[in-house]
Amino acid sequence: MISVKEAKSIIQGKIFKLDSEVVPLDRSMGRIIFEDVVATFPSPRFNNSAMDGFAVRSSDIIGASNQNPITLKNIGISSAGVPSDLILNEGECMQCMTGAKIPSGSDAIVMVEHTTGFSDDPNVEIMIEVQPESHIRKRGEEIQKGDKLISKGTHITPSEIGICATFGYGELNVSKKPKIAIFGTGNELVEPGENLKEGEIYNSNLYVFSDLVGKAGGEVLMQDVLKDNKSYLESFLSEALKSCDVVISSGGVSMGRFDYVRDVFIDLGVEEHFWKVAQKPGRPLFFGTGNKTLIIGLPGNPVSSYIGFMIWVWPIINEMMGTDTVKSIEAELTEPFPVENIKYRYLFGKAWIENGKVLCKPSRKIGSHMLTSSLNANCIIGAEPSDIKLSSGDSILINLLPWKIIE
Ligand code: AMP
Ligand code: MG
């Protein structure tokens, strides 16, 4: 049995980075950007109006007010997408809509509300004076050409996709998704929706895995629930080792008489890097490699599988795609935490913010078969092995579940 720290460093040494692929912008959501994105032009690209109004020469309307309107000659229209070539001379103005190019000669916009309005009338009265540059969005005021907008390794969210569209990127170079095989083992497992016979239970782990793989950014290429039977395991695994970057199993890696998963991995030539980690839940964790494929055997108890995925598999998927994984944060316990002497202890928990502090409450359901401990949880709490008990008020590390919020 090795420590959590040793296990992490062994895995670290075996993770490889995936290549990139080019995808259309509208299919890049949720992916990881593979290279820095830079501004292809300054933004705004040209001086344009922030308001519907009149482009003017501010010096022409000094002193203008409701009581003292100043009349200007209306020489045309500049609208969004249809700029005007006309140049504004002294005493002239031009109708200029939001987003439209500011005509040459003009140095400010007067909002239409402070004029006699848009019309084909050659004369317009202006009822307000404005400072030079009023309501003008200046070329390059937001971003200069060549500025770095998004760093390599960033997760593409609505902000990134919007920025890439703004700067005209029709396609993006993103990290490939890790191809993943997930399988569960157990003669007792029945699919939800079917009837249970004596001694049977429903397979829940693969449903959890499948959602977690997608959330982490991977792609489930193969998925099955297998009986505790060596030949079934062999045929699934030999295929998975050929086609997948990561193989994740649930169950069948403990000391049970029918726990064949590890044996079959070894029979198929998988190199075992460790089996059994000083952690609770999930001690019989298996890690091996077959060619380049990474193989993680998680124990079948639903909490061991779920927490095991988050602690061990999620960071692997992130790192393969070149992105950072969620960091632990410090929180203050509101109840005692069941620290173990020689094992790292994980539990689902609920964290929240109160008076500027992050507080957290561990689930009271401490059994690794109790998946309801994950309901209402928004974090996984973890404590190093120690003889010292942790009580309410002590600080502890938590990993927020990335799809949950902390209130
Ligand atoms: P194992 O690691 O195979 O010894 O399984 C440990 C416990 O987890 C047993 O009670 C299994 O019935 C249960 N288990 C295994 N696989 C699953 C699964 N896919 N869904 C729900 N429970 C499971
Ligand atoms: Mg089993």
Side-chain angles (χ1 to χ4, degrees):
M1 187 164 77
I2 61 171
S3 71
V4 163
K5 200 170 158 207
E6 279 172 275
K8 285 196 173 158
S9 99
I10 292 172
I11 292 181
Q12 199 61 40
K14 299 291 171 193
I15 298 178
F16 57 94
K17 300 260 193 254
L18 293 167
D19 290 339
S20 65
E21 62 184 343
V22 174
V23 297
L25 185 63
D26 61 1
R27 287 189 35 228
S28 68
M29 196 61 187
R31 304 292 294 267
I32 306 298
I33 214 132
F34 200 76
E35 56 198 0
D36 292 347
V37 173
V38 296
T40 44
F41 47 77
S43 181
R45 259 189 96 200
F46 48 89
N47 291 347
N48 70 83
S49 178
M51 294 288 170
D52 292 320
F54 284 84
V56 298
R57 297 155 60 99
S58 55
S59 55
D60 285 349
I61 54 168
I62 293 169
S65 67
N66 283 330
Q67 291 71 39
N68 177 35
I70 291 178
T71 304
L72 296 178
K73 186 175 166 217
N74 172 15
I75 63 165
I77 305 181
S78 175
S79 64
V82 188
S84 165
D85 293 337
L86 297 177
I87 298 170
L88 233 65
N89 292 310
E90 201 177 327
E92 293 179 341
C93 67
M94 187 186 291
Q95 300 167 72
C96 192
M97 308 306 144
T98 304
K101 189 162 186 269
I102 304 292
S104 303
S106 155
D107 69 349
I109 294 289
V110 175
M111 288 166 68
V112 67
E113 291 86 335
H114 301 299
T115 71
T116 42
F118 295 134
S119 73
D120 295 331
D121 196 325
N123 292 320
V124 183
E125 288 182 9
I126 309 287
M127 274 76 116
I128 197 169
E129 64 172 22
V130 291
Q131 295 300 311
E133 301 192 353
S134 284
H135 306 308
I136 291 183
R137 303 161 171 167
K138 303 260 310 173
R139 173 182 162 89
E141 72 177 9
E142 183 188 3
I143 292 288
Q144 293 298 313
K145 181 176 177 177
D147 280 356
K148 196 208 286 191
L149 301 167
I150 304 168
S151 299
K152 176 180 178 165
T154 304
H155 195 221
I156 301 175
T157 72
S159 307
E160 284 75 24
I161 211 161
I163 289 302
C164 291
T166 301
F167 287 90
Y169 289 89
E171 42 189 36
L172 290 178
N173 202 12
V174 297
S175 172
K176 283 189 172 163
K177 287 171 175 250
K179 295 191 202 87
I180 298 188
I182 52 178
F183 70 99
T185 61
N187 294 336
E188 73 280 28
L189 300 177
V190 171
E191 285 306 291
E194 292 175 15
N195 291 324
L196 289 176
K197 296 206 269 307
E198 186 72 19
E200 293 179 332
I201 62 162
Y202 289 117
N203 157 42
S204 59
N205 292 348
L206 280 212
Y207 292 87
V208 175
F209 281 4
S210 162
D211 190 30
L212 291 177
V213 167
K215 283 190 161 55
E219 180 186 358
V220 176
L221 212 68
M222 291 177 65
Q223 163 166 4
D224 212 348
V225 177
L226 306 167
K227 296 284 174 210
D228 293 312
N229 168 306
K230 280 195 169 184
S231 67
Y232 290 151
L233 287 167
E234 264 165 21
S235 69
F236 180 91
L237 276 174
S238 56
E239 183 52 41
L241 289 176
K242 276 186 236 147
S243 54
C244 293
D245 301 307
V246 185
V247 175
I248 308 157
S249 63
S250 106
V253 281
S254 305
M255 301 296 288
R257 181 147 174 211
F258 308 104
D259 288 343
Y260 298 130
V261 171
R262 181 168 168 256
D263 296 346
V264 172
F265 282 144
I266 310 263
D267 290 349
L268 288 172
V270 167
E271 188 185 345
E272 177 176 294
H273 301 299
F274 61 75
W275 178 51
K276 293 184 186 166
V277 173
Q279 62 172 2
K280 187 175 177 178
R283 187 176 77 113
L285 176 70
F286 175 94
F287 176 64
T289 45
N291 294 323
K292 271 179 94 182
T293 306
L294 306 184
I295 298 131
I296 301 104
L298 296 164
N301 271 308
V303 176
S304 317
S305 266
Y306 191 162
I307 289 185
F309 190 109
M310 291 312 297
I311 300 297
W312 301 97
V313 183
W314 185 284
I316 293 178
I317 296 178
N318 280 182
E319 200 148 318
M320 282 181 140
M321 296 188 300
T323 190
D324 288 342
T325 205
V326 188
K327 302 264 181 316
S328 304
I329 58 170
E330 219 172 272
E332 185 181 305
L333 284 166
T334 60
E335 291 188 11
F337 185 87
V339 180
E340 291 276 321
N341 287 339
I342 51 164
K343 291 185 196 158
Y344 209 105
R345 181 61 160 122
Y346 296 107
L347 270 181
F348 281 111
K350 172 88 184 185
W352 68 98
I353 295 171
E354 207 172 292
N355 299 329
K357 268 199 279 190
V358 182
L359 303 181
C360 81
K361 176 170 160 312
S363 171
R364 287 186 184 153
K365 294 178 184 171
I366 57 171
S368 61
H369 56 299
M370 300 177 175
L371 189 59
T372 51
S373 64
S374 70
L375 284 175
N376 303 318
N378 61 357
C379 65
I380 294 171
I381 308 175
E384 298 268 3
S386 170
D387 296 333
I388 305 162
K389 298 285 155 235
L390 285 177
S391 325
S392 173
D394 288 339
S395 85
I396 197 160
L397 289 178
I398 65 171
N399 282 0
L400 290 170
L401 298 172
W403 59 92
K404 292 271 179 140
I405 53 167
I406 177 165
E407 287 170 56

